[in-house]
Amino acid sequence: EKGYETGEHAPGLKLGGCGAYRAAHHIIKTHAKVWHSYNNTWRREQRGMVGISLTSGWGEPVDPHSQTDRDAAERYIQFHLGWFANPIYRGDYPEVMKNYVGKKSAQQGLGTSRLPTFSVQEKTYIKGTSDFLGIGHFTTRYVLQKNLPFLQVSSYHTDHDLAELVDPSWPAPGPKWLYSVPWGFRRLLNFIKTQYGNPLIYVTENGVSETVQCPQLCDEWRIQYLKGYINEILKALNDGVNVKGYTAWSLLDKFEWNKGFSERFGLYHIDFKNKNKPRYPKASVDYYKKIISANGFPNPREVMS
């Protein structure tokens, strides 16, 4: 969406209303081709796995007793995660995406939907092409129904007919989009379990950034974020969700899309102004080391003994 619709990210194309859908369509078909190539050529010899990593927030209805808010929250998750996961696990785009984009396209006077369609052969070819699901997750939004005014130029964002809200009490230590809402992760993982037949899951990205350097590299909020989110993964495991692994995002401060080096997700601070780029551990390093060594939250007495 940011690369092919708004143009914020590379390749910087502003193909309003259709660019993101077309790019995603190609990604899904290409992913399936790679999976089949590996499956037919290398799997027997290497016994490896091919999956896809998808990043998605969680959408929670503002009023859980309101059907329209619940429907809006469903659209939020289907327009984010379901957009890619539904074709791979169930054979086609989510029905709600097809309905909404099709309806908006018709209102614009277009002869066909801006959301491309898969042929019967493509649906069969794509379905089941993932040995595991990688999940990147950072934050949650409250969602409610919002009828957006008819626009002659629709976009991916206006196709949803929803508004996103945040709770002002949620911690927001880093960028304005990233609020710490650990309970949303457990709900997302259970949604995946229910929707896609409890696939094998690897958490490929989960973490929080800072936009200003923390004094003495004391990133207490990152420690609290990791603690909260990993705890919710443990709860999801107890719910029967098939989570096999977890990766904190990220090991080092790095180049962060259109934010460059100004936004820092790393457990290690990098001095980018020094030509040697020295690395300094933040407080979260010691905390995360203990979690890794204990494969979970350690008992302090056990660690010290």
Side-chain angles (χ1 to χ4, degrees), residues 39-283:
N39 195 52
N40 296 334
T41 310
W42 301 107
R43 189 186 297 276
R44 188 176 293 126
E45 178 187 338
Q46 296 181 348
R47 297 178 188 173
M49 295 195 300
V50 177
I52 192 166
S53 184
L54 305 174
T55 299
S56 180
W58 173 250
E60 182 75 10
V62 168
D63 179 0
H65 304 294
S66 161
Q67 186 62 50
T68 54
D69 284 3
R70 290 205 304 270
D71 290 345
E74 174 78 12
R75 285 199 302 282
Y76 176 93
I77 202 74
Q78 294 294 358
F79 267 82
H80 286 86
L81 179 68
W83 185 5
F84 294 86
N86 220 72
I88 290 168
Y89 284 96
R90 303 177 74 169
D92 199 3
Y93 290 121
E95 285 300 316
V96 71
M97 272 191 90
K98 293 195 288 184
N99 292 341
Y100 268 71
V101 182
K103 180 180 69 178
K104 300 260 184 178
S105 301
Q107 287 173 348
Q108 289 175 266
L110 300 175
T112 57
S113 175
R114 287 179 283 103
L115 183 69
T117 55
F118 294 114
S119 68
V120 174
Q121 291 86 351
E122 285 172 339
K123 289 177 186 177
T124 305
Y125 187 73
I126 292 164
K127 186 177 180 181
T129 56
S130 208
D131 304 317
F132 66 89
L133 179 61
I135 284 292
H137 175 75
F138 295 91
T139 194
T140 284
R141 293 288 185 268
Y142 279 121
V143 181
L144 75 162
Q145 167 79 25
K146 183 180 182 182
N147 292 326
L148 296 160
F150 170 66
L151 300 169
Q152 201 56 46
V153 181
S154 288
S155 72
Y156 167 74
H157 264 295
T158 60
D159 286 337
H160 302 59
D161 273 356
L162 57 83
E164 300 174 26
L165 305 175
V166 296
D167 185 329
S169 69
W170 289 344
K176 59 186 178 182
W177 63 270
L178 208 171
Y179 292 79
S180 179
V181 195
W183 53 262
F185 202 5
R186 181 184 184 184
R187 298 190 185 197
L188 176 66
L189 291 168
N190 272 283
F191 176 90
I192 292 165
K193 174 191 169 190
T194 305
Q195 287 274 314
Y196 309 126
N198 203 14
L200 177 63
I201 294 172
Y202 286 93
V203 178
T204 46
E205 291 186 31
N206 175 241
V208 65
S209 67
E210 72 255 18
T211 47
V212 292
Q213 186 178 335
C214 40
Q216 288 80 50
L217 303 178
C218 185
D219 55 346
E220 179 62 31
W221 71 87
R222 184 174 282 109
I223 291 171
Q224 293 307 316
Y225 181 99
L226 292 170
K227 182 178 183 179
Y229 276 76
I230 293 170
N231 247 324
E232 293 299 317
I233 299 170
L234 289 171
K235 292 176 191 175
L237 279 165
N238 289 334
D239 297 334
V241 180
N242 192 11
V243 182
K244 188 68 180 288
Y246 173 85
T247 309
W249 190 261
S250 57
L251 177 66
L252 310 171
D253 290 338
K254 57 177 179 51
F255 189 82
E256 187 60 35
W257 298 92
N258 56 339
K259 302 290 188 243
F261 297 111
S262 66
E263 198 168 302
R264 296 171 176 268
F265 275 90
L267 297 168
Y268 282 84
H269 174 81
I270 309 294
D271 182 358
F272 291 112
K273 292 176 182 168
N274 185 315
K275 68 175 183 178
N276 295 320
K277 309 289 187 291
R279 307 167 181 186
Y280 304 99
K282 301 174 189 176

Side-chain angles (χ1 to χ4, degrees), residues 1-14 23 255 257-258:
E1 183 233 344
K2 287 184 170 63
Y4 292 89
E5 181 123 345
T6 65
E8 292 172 64
H9 291 174
L13 300 178
K14 297 180 181 180
F255 189 82
W257 298 92
N258 56 339

